[in-house]
Amino acid sequence: MGRKRCVGGDGSKMAAGCCGVKKQKLSSSPPSGSAGPGGGGGGSHCGGAAAAGGEPGALPPPGGPRLNGIGVLAGGAAGCALSPPLPPSCGGGPAGLSPPASSLLASPGSGGPGCRKMVVSAEMCCFCFDVLYCHLYGYQPPRSPRFTNDPYPLFVTWKIGRDKRLRGCIGTFSAMNLHSGLREYTLTSALKDSRFPPVTRDELPRLFCSVSLLTNFEDVCDYMDWEVGVHGIRIEFINEKGSKRTATYLPEVAKEQGWDHIQTIDSLLRKGGYKAPITNEFRKTIKLTRYRSEKMTMSYTEYLAHRQHHHFQNGIGHPLPPYNHYS
């Protein structure tokens, strides 16, 4: 990448966690209720004003530790109002099936001249909705999807309503095969994010699902050596009690909050539980890893349209049972 590295950016070996309020855990969005970098101490999860605070409660997955979410988006498209929700009608589908595109958003920094084709896809969001739907309605889990099963660090994020309030977000910095990783973190983020009660059937029509795949991890020597809106950052530091702490923000968080480099770093330190005054000398002791992400977002309405399009295209006049989704 042409940048100087201190150690070498192996994202799969980084400690991960649920917002940096405990040892070896990470924060990946603004502190609960914080208005800026100085507000809010440790002890709450990510999610801006939507988060209710509290201690992280995610259990370590087989492939590596978990982390919690991203910052809350301001505004956003209107939520869905379909009732009752329809069972998912299919999965996988023929290659090249195009979903509605109005809110399938690629994250900043995920593309550009000469970049490889994006791995994240609308079908990944559909699969997450399938998994959640089957769980909530007691169906057999959907079969394996047809998109790639290559390993990636990943996040699954759920938001709800017109203002897209955070409803759950948990992921891992350890690379996991996408089929099992998305299946696991779909349910973990929707049901086991300790900031929120488990997602219910009634909430399904108002949900938005985002899948983020993390890439291009680099350890850098200068804590300012990253670009707002392009890179996510993970910091490691020693707190005032001599304990090592870690925290992370996904690439979109700093830009959405309107923060510069210093504000973002200071917010992460507070989120990670650092309570002492923050000096420039202390900032220089931080170990920083930058990374990028590919992100796709889909609403429940778009999910249904995607599935129904596949059915009509194949002459199917009724919803398939969820356990027949994938072949």
Side-chain angles (χ1 to χ4, degrees):
M1 302 268 303
R3 295 280 191 173
K4 183 178 179 182
R5 297 187 182 186
C6 299
V7 182
D10 185 352
S12 65
K13 295 182 179 179
M14 292 192 297
C18 297
C19 294
V21 298
K22 290 184 178 179
K23 194 172 183 180
Q24 294 297 322
K25 291 195 172 184
L26 297 178
S27 169
S28 49
S29 71
S32 172
S34 71
S44 65
H45 290 269
C46 54
E55 291 292 318
L59 300 175
R66 289 172 175 146
L67 347 131
N68 266 82
I70 65 175
V72 173
L73 293 173
C80 310
L82 299 182
S83 181
L86 300 177
S89 54
C90 68
L97 177 63
S98 297
S102 59
S103 68
L104 305 185
L105 307 177
S107 64
S110 61
C115 289
R116 62 178 173 79
K117 182 179 179 181
M118 287 180 64
V119 175
V120 71
S121 68
E123 197 60 44
M124 294 179 187
C125 295
C126 286
F127 180 63
C128 293
F129 268 117
D130 283 347
V131 170
L132 181 59
Y133 186 99
C134 290
H135 177 86
L136 293 177
Y137 281 87
Y139 291 106
Q140 291 292 320
R143 295 175 184 174
S144 295
R146 295 178 182 176
F147 54 75
T148 179
N149 195 30
D150 290 343
Y152 284 89
L154 60 91
F155 276 93
V156 177
T157 304
W158 298 99
K159 294 186 179 182
I160 191 168
R162 295 176 181 272
D163 55 351
K164 293 186 179 180
R165 289 172 288 109
L166 186 65
R167 191 61 182 82
C169 185
I170 298 179
T172 177
F173 273 172
S174 295
M176 292 188 69
N177 293 102
L178 288 176
H179 294 180
S180 59
L182 291 177
R183 193 185 296 271
E184 175 178 346
Y185 283 102
T186 288
L187 297 181
T188 301
S189 60
L191 307 175
K192 297 181 180 180
D193 188 325
S194 63
R195 296 165 293 173
F196 310 106
V199 169
T200 65
R201 294 181 187 180
D202 292 340
E203 293 177 300
L204 268 174
R206 297 184 291 129
L207 288 179
F208 295 79
C209 178
S210 296
V211 172
S212 298
L213 307 183
L214 311 186
T215 64
N216 300 96
F217 289 89
E218 292 182 291
D219 293 334
V220 298
C221 296
D222 184 350
Y223 72 93
M224 298 284 284
D225 188 10
W226 57 280
E227 186 176 345
V228 173
V230 172
H231 294 108
I233 59 171
R234 179 257 196 190
I235 64 170
E236 180 180 303
F237 62 94
I238 304 299
N239 69 8
E240 62 274 21
K241 296 181 180 179
S243 299
K244 183 168 71 174
R245 298 293 179 99
T246 54
T248 190
Y249 281 151
L250 294 179
E252 59 265 39
V253 173
K255 184 175 181 180
E256 289 169 359
Q257 299 296 323
W259 294 339
D260 60 21
H261 289 71
I262 297 296
Q263 290 173 316
T264 305
I265 293 293
D266 289 359
S267 176
L268 265 184
L269 287 169
R270 294 304 186 205
K271 190 59 184 174
Y274 188 74
K275 296 178 172 60
I278 300 173
T279 65
N280 197 48
E281 289 304 311
F282 182 76
R283 294 187 191 103
K284 291 178 180 179
T285 69
I286 293 170
K287 295 181 181 179
L288 187 142
T289 300
R290 68 186 187 188
Y291 58 90
R292 300 193 183 207
S293 76
E294 298 181 6
K295 182 181 176 183
M296 189 70 71
T297 299
M298 177 178 279
S299 70
Y300 187 78
T301 299
E302 290 168 324
Y303 159 65
L304 291 181
H306 187 98
R307 291 300 186 226
Q308 290 166 352
H309 174 72
H310 174 78
H311 273 193
F312 295 147
Q313 194 176 57
N314 288 276
I316 302 172
H318 57 84
L320 293 175
Y323 46 80
N324 284 337
H325 291 178
Y326 299 96
S327 57

